Amino acid sequence: MTEGPRDCSIANAMEVIGERWSLLALREVFFGARRFDQIVRNTGASRDILTARLRKLVEAGILEKRLYEEHPPRYEYVLTEAGHALHHVLLNLMSWGDRYVTVGPPPTVWRHACGEELAPETVCAHCREPLREKDMTLVRSSRRARGS
């Protein structure tokens, strides 16, 4: 058997959240929009596409559907533990977009509890130093066998 594509957690994550409307739906839930109509309005997604993306996020355990009205039944979307864990990812993606894609001032600004404008930074959990490519060494990277 020959080696197939690299087995990778980035690819696995992209299968779940790596689509524009999924990420924008998550953004809206982080911003506090939990009802379907709010999410549709704030993302600009079609109702059919958003329904499919929200269903996939629920099935993946990132969002949970909760009943907020019984007659007629209406649901809201809330973050699970896995969903909350994506907050740092979205903040870093936003920061990258602010720096390399957005023309002009950032359209969204957060303030940290310290009182300063939030500037997310990824650090090593052990030494608390910022992550830099030159300080990292690949330890393991596996590939799937073709035909499996």
Side-chain angles (χ1 to χ4, degrees), residues 26-82:
L26 285 170
R27 175 200 68 192
E28 289 307 312
V29 177
F30 281 120
F31 281 8
R34 292 183 173 81
R35 296 183 181 173
F36 183 80
D37 287 339
Q38 294 172 317
I39 299 170
V40 167
R41 181 179 60 248
N42 295 339
T43 62
S46 75
R47 296 176 80 79
D48 290 345
I49 288 175
L50 189 60
T51 297
R53 298 312 180 267
L54 289 170
R55 183 179 302 121
K56 187 173 186 177
L57 292 170
V58 168
E59 289 170 358
I62 295 168
L63 293 175
E64 180 182 310
K65 259 175 98 168
R66 287 194 189 152
L67 187 69
Y68 71 87
E69 187 175 304
E70 290 191 25
H71 301 291
R74 294 191 190 278
Y75 296 86
E76 64 181 1
Y77 295 89
V78 295
L79 295 164
T80 63
E81 180 182 341

Side-chain angles (χ1 to χ4, degrees), residues 1-9 11-12 138-148:
M1 268 189 200
T2 61
E3 288 185 3
R6 187 179 310 278
D7 190 17
C8 171
S9 294
N12 297 341
L138 181 64
V139 175
R140 176 182 54 246
S141 178
S142 61
R143 294 190 180 271
R144 291 180 289 210
R146 289 199 188 270
S148 36

